[in-house]
Amino acid sequence: MVLEGGEGSGKSTQVAALAARLRADGRDVVETLEPGGTSLGRELRALLLHHDGPLDARAELLLLLADRAQHVHEVVEPALARGADVVSDRYTPSTLAYQGVARDLGVDEVARSSRWAAGGLEPDLVIVLDVAPETAVARGASGRDRFERAGVEFDARVRAAYRDLAREHGWPLVDASGSPDEVAAEVWRHVAPLVR
């Protein structure tokens, strides 16, 4: 299961809440994130989020794909092989929205590259947490890393990309402007049929 959304949408909070709820039901859960779910991934994440110089969009994509390949190999596949649930903060949909659309690299090209990096592994469920960029900024989600500094216009492109991709792929779009408990209840409504 993957939780997606733009900066300040509450992904980290909702991943933790969903993982806790699944564990309370007695399930084995691996809680992870991209980029940064492995030792190598943490180094790549530092480059992606805090590199001081210019970073070409293609270089950004390749760093993300390297992270994904290692993440799938080291974390996701072993967890699935033992029967655990994997709850991830970001996966391929982020790459489609951010690099495919907002960075203008093309969704089809990015999707092909991402499938290759992930060895064809697709999530059972993608939930997109939808929040207006202005709400995200009010939550204090701007001014820290490269993506959070990209500005409201970039955030609006990412949000529009997620909304379009959600429609196209049938991913549930959850209004993330409510309280954490309200959002968690809506996320669970989509997860429950898969785990009962």
Side-chain angles (χ1 to χ4, degrees):
M1 290 164 263
V2 176
L3 293 182
E4 288 284 354
E7 309 307 317
S9 60
K11 294 177 311 305
S12 301
T13 299
Q14 293 305 321
V15 164
L18 177 56
R21 182 143 189 189
L22 290 166
R23 286 186 188 109
D25 283 352
R27 301 180 72 91
D28 180 10
V29 179
V30 172
E31 189 177 336
T32 189
L33 79 159
E34 285 193 359
T38 65
S39 176
L40 173 64
R42 285 185 286 282
E43 293 181 41
L44 293 170
R45 181 181 181 90
L47 283 171
L48 283 159
L49 301 185
H50 304 293
H51 179 67
D52 289 335
L55 186 60
D56 181 80
R58 291 166 299 173
E60 181 179 270
L61 173 63
L62 291 169
L63 290 170
L64 287 162
L65 295 178
D67 172 77
R68 179 155 306 129
Q70 188 67 23
H71 185 233
V72 167
H73 172 73
E74 188 177 324
V75 177
V76 180
E77 287 178 334
L80 295 176
R82 75 168 194 258
D85 294 321
V86 177
V87 180
S88 186
D89 179 340
R90 298 201 185 279
Y91 193 65
T92 297
S94 286
T95 318
L96 300 178
Y98 280 78
Q99 286 70 43
V101 176
R103 297 282 197 228
D104 294 317
L105 294 179
V107 171
D108 292 341
E109 182 67 28
V110 170
R112 271 192 301 277
S113 299
S114 189
R115 270 193 303 276
W116 177 78
L121 187 65
E122 296 289 333
D124 293 326
L125 177 65
V126 173
I127 296 174
V128 177
L129 302 179
D130 183 52
V131 66
E134 298 78 13
T135 302
V137 168
R139 290 177 174 175
S142 65
R144 292 190 300 269
D145 66 43
R146 285 180 58 253
F147 293 101
E148 293 166 343
R149 289 192 309 263
V152 174
E153 184 179 316
F154 181 80
D155 292 344
R157 290 190 72 196
V158 169
R159 182 186 190 203
Y162 271 124
R163 292 165 75 98
D164 290 344
L165 290 163
R167 269 191 302 278
E168 181 180 333
H169 294 280
W171 302 331
L173 194 67
V174 170
D175 180 356
S177 63
S179 72
D181 287 345
E182 290 168 337
V183 176
E186 185 63 13
V187 166
W188 184 251
R189 189 174 71 79
H190 296 288
V191 172
L194 296 180
V195 298
R196 300 285 175 171

